[in-house]
Amino acid sequence: MRIFDPHIHMSSRTTRDYQEMYEAGVRAVVEPAFWLGQPRSGLGSFVDYFDSLVGWEPFRAARFGVRHHCAVALNPKEANDPRCAGVVDLLPRYLAKDTVVAVGEVGYDFMTKEEDDAFARQLELAIEFDLPVLVHTPHRDKAAGTRRSLHVVRESGIAPERVIVDHLNELTVRMVLEAGCWAGFSIYPDTKMDETRMVRILQEYGLVRVLVNSAADWGDSDPLKTRRTGEAMLAAGFSADDVDQVLWRNPVACYGQSGRLELEEVPAAPDATFAGDSVLRGPRGVSRRGSGTGTARSSTSCRPARRPAAGRRAPVTRTAR
Ligand SMILES: [Zn+2]
């Protein structure tokens, strides 16, 4: 089973997750920008975060055989914080980078005026940079929030097939598919949407323009929920080809619209480092470097080393465009 997780917040996960994802069949991901778990104090916090999404995180993923892409945006929750005003002006320099395959997550949280403005401006950026856009739908009053999101999308003039509307459920899927957008579903362990309900939605609405993700983040979540959904599909009588469509070909078609996906197998590069640091520990990392300690300690420390320039890429061979 080959899997492309089109929405997963790997910055909040461990390398063990990457390893288990690889073993489960995950070969590529899109990590949308999201919140820190606590309020950010200013623009510099976003710069470091976006830099990590185009630098350190793709490097970390590649060490475990996973192709990492990202989406950047000011997320709806933070659009309400005046300290974050100005983030949208930072976005163009990131939207030009090779591994940035979309604008996102944008959309609504509380549906405030500030969220309205940030949403509309970022849809304009998606059009300007010719990129797909990932729209988060609010967890409260989801149907109204989804309806309003689709209205804003329509007003913006962006092609609906370049829009992913995410975190959907049984109440919101129809309006999104009828609008011509991609329908995204985040599968969680206990809340919101699970793999059994997901299979029922696939049975009712079909496999076209449907994306399944694990959304794994700071909270109770499971980066293997894509795999679990594939297994549930097979158990319900879907074919292996159906699973491949939902878990691989659909996200590839959707984010392939960016022209920036890289899906070739990651070549092994056990000695690779990022700004002098390796993420590998123990025999896989340390002994190959001929050092007993340095790598492990420095790999995750916050030391004043030279920071990689925005857009610095993991030292992997680029073979596909
Ligand atoms: Zn998310």
Side-chain angles (χ1 to χ4, degrees):
M1 196 181 292
R2 54 178 182 169
I3 299 171
F4 184 132
D5 193 328
H7 183 154
I8 183 165
H9 299 290
M10 290 309 301
S11 299
S12 66
R13 313 301 302 194
T14 66
T15 51
R16 174 63 62 90
D17 289 322
Y18 272 125
Q19 202 166 335
E20 290 177 354
M21 287 161 62
Y22 183 86
E23 284 160 11
V26 178
R27 293 293 180 273
V29 299
V30 171
E31 173 160 7
F34 80 145
W35 69 311
L36 189 59
Q38 63 181 32
R40 294 179 193 275
S41 59
L43 289 188
S45 174
F46 283 90
V47 171
D48 289 341
Y49 176 51
F50 294 155
D51 282 354
S52 78
L53 288 182
V54 297
W56 172 246
E57 204 55 47
F59 171 80
R60 209 165 71 103
R63 301 285 65 74
F64 295 88
V66 176
R67 289 284 185 185
H68 182 285
H69 313 84
C70 71
V72 296
L74 172 63
N75 70 74
K77 193 188 280 283
E78 287 172 319
N80 295 304
D81 188 336
R83 292 174 299 181
C84 303
V87 171
V88 176
D89 298 326
L90 284 177
L91 294 177
R93 71 160 119 143
Y94 292 98
L95 294 176
K97 296 195 182 300
D98 286 344
T99 56
V100 178
V101 296
V103 176
E105 306 176 46
V106 301
Y108 288 120
D109 189 28
F110 285 101
M111 295 196 263
T112 63
K113 165 86 174 69
E114 288 74 16
E115 291 172 26
D116 261 330
D117 292 345
F119 191 1
R121 283 186 64 200
Q122 294 183 99
L123 283 167
E124 284 171 16
L125 283 174
I127 293 170
E128 185 184 333
F129 283 84
D130 205 15
L131 288 172
V133 60
L134 173 60
V135 179
H136 161 103
T137 52
H139 301 299
R140 295 163 291 269
D141 205 359
K142 186 174 285 290
T146 305
R147 206 169 295 117
R148 185 159 154 187
S149 299
L150 290 172
H151 178 74
V152 173
V153 162
R154 227 172 353 253
E155 295 254 290
S156 76
I158 192 170
E161 67 270 19
R162 297 176 84 80
V163 178
I164 304 112
V165 185
D166 216 331
H167 312 310
L168 298 182
N169 60 24
E170 292 84 350
L171 298 176
T172 50
V173 53
R174 183 181 298 279
M175 66 175 103
V176 171
L177 288 174
E178 285 180 353
C181 301
W182 289 83
F185 295 86
S186 302
I187 314 300
Y188 290 96
D190 298 311
T191 57
K192 297 168 190 169
M193 175 60 63
D194 62 32
E195 53 268 42
T196 310
R197 285 165 60 196
M198 188 65 233
V199 165
R200 272 189 240 118
I201 287 173
L202 290 166
Q203 286 167 333
E204 184 167 351
Y205 294 93
L207 313 181
V208 177
R209 272 188 289 114
V210 173
L211 300 173
V212 171
N213 63 73
S214 70
D217 54 33
W218 307 113
D220 189 15
S221 51
D222 178 355
L224 302 184
K225 278 297 181 185
T226 45
R227 170 83 194 201
R228 299 292 166 256
T229 302
E231 290 165 350
M233 286 178 70
L234 293 173
F238 282 102
S239 68
D241 190 67
D242 292 335
V243 173
D244 191 69
Q245 176 176 347
V246 171
L247 295 184
W248 184 264
R249 299 200 304 271
N250 280 358
V252 166
C254 178
Y255 284 109
Q257 296 181 92
S258 68
R260 295 176 179 176
L261 287 186
E262 294 188 45
L263 300 172
E264 296 293 313
E265 193 177 328
V266 182
D271 297 325
T273 58
F274 184 89
D277 287 336
S278 163
V279 75
L280 301 179
R281 294 180 177 167
R284 297 178 62 195
V286 176
S287 65
R288 279 176 189 254
R289 285 170 53 106
S291 153
T293 55
T295 304
R297 199 165 53 79
S298 65
S299 63
T300 52
S301 64
C302 185
R303 59 183 190 153
R306 71 191 159 85
R307 207 179 74 203
R312 178 168 174 163
R313 306 171 51 79
V316 294
T317 308
R318 297 177 59 199
T319 47
R321 294 294 315 204

